[in-house]
Every structure is written in C-alpha cells, then in structure tokens.
Amino acid sequence: MSAAVLVTAVSNNPLEDDPLEQEKVSLLALVGELDYTNAERLQHDLQEAIGPGVCNLVIDLTDLSFCDSTGIQVFLTIRKITQDRGGSIALTNLQPRLEKLFHLTGLAPAFGIQPTVIDAVKIFRSRQSSS
C-alpha cells in the first residue's frame, strides 16, 4: 500500500534572487508516503542529500501524502543531525493531517513548521542576522 518516498529536490539556493551560502540552507522536497516500509531508506537518503556542510534544512512536504510514527522518527533523527551541526530544521507545506499530528504530539515547535519554503528561509535569515 505504501509508495516509496523520494527526495525530489536538493538545492542550496531556495531563493534564486538571493544566494544563501552564508546561511548554509538546503532545500529538500519529499514525495510519496512515509511509513515503516521505507523510513530507514529515506533516513539514509536524507543523510546523503544534506551532506556534511549543511547547517539549516528546509523540507518541503507538499507532496508527502502520508506519514506514520516511523516517519516522525526519521524527522527527529534528521533534526538531531542538523542541531549537532549548529543548525535547525523547518518543515513546510504540511498536509492538514500531518500538521495536526505534529501539533498534537507537541513536536511542531521543534521543527519550526512554516506555511511555505520562503517563510522558513526568512526565519533562518532573521536568526543569522541577530547572531
């Protein structure tokens, strides 16, 4: 029943008009369903995609149609990796059911959930300029 989740976009420049090298922000987009059948593979793919130099990570979930508790665990693991590098993670464009799950579990603040990719990048910029 589960479709593979794919990392469909990797970008070091979420806003074309403004390079973000100084913020070290990368953008990933996920497509499909995330559950116990593919969570381990996705975790590996995400770790490969973000590479060693990324501090801040924006994950666009527009096309993620399903996520169970093992998927949430993948997000927690990726969050720890970015935090260990001194960065943060932001999830954007969540489907209503997934957003509700993050709020009910109390995890929404930990992931800096934002309505759009641009909103997430603005948050990272404001943190950079205040430090």
Side-chain angles (χ1 to χ4, degrees), residues 28-74:
L28 304 176
L30 304 184
V31 174
E33 296 178 355
L34 177 53
D35 63 19
Y36 72 95
T37 64
N38 56 20
E40 186 175 328
R41 180 68 202 182
L42 177 65
Q43 181 173 324
H44 175 267
D45 291 349
L46 285 172
Q47 287 173 320
E48 293 266 318
I50 61 176
V54 173
C55 287
N56 296 311
L57 180 63
V58 177
I59 302 179
D60 184 347
L61 302 178
T62 301
D63 295 317
L64 185 69
S65 58
F66 177 81
C67 180
D68 69 4
S69 61
T70 54
I72 300 294
Q73 185 61 45
V74 170

Side-chain angles (χ1 to χ4, degrees), residues 111-129:
F111 286 96
I113 293 176
Q114 296 296 318
T116 69
V117 169
I118 295 198
D119 290 323
V121 171
K122 286 178 182 176
I123 295 292
F124 289 137
R125 279 191 188 149
S126 68
R127 288 180 189 158
Q128 287 289 340
S129 62

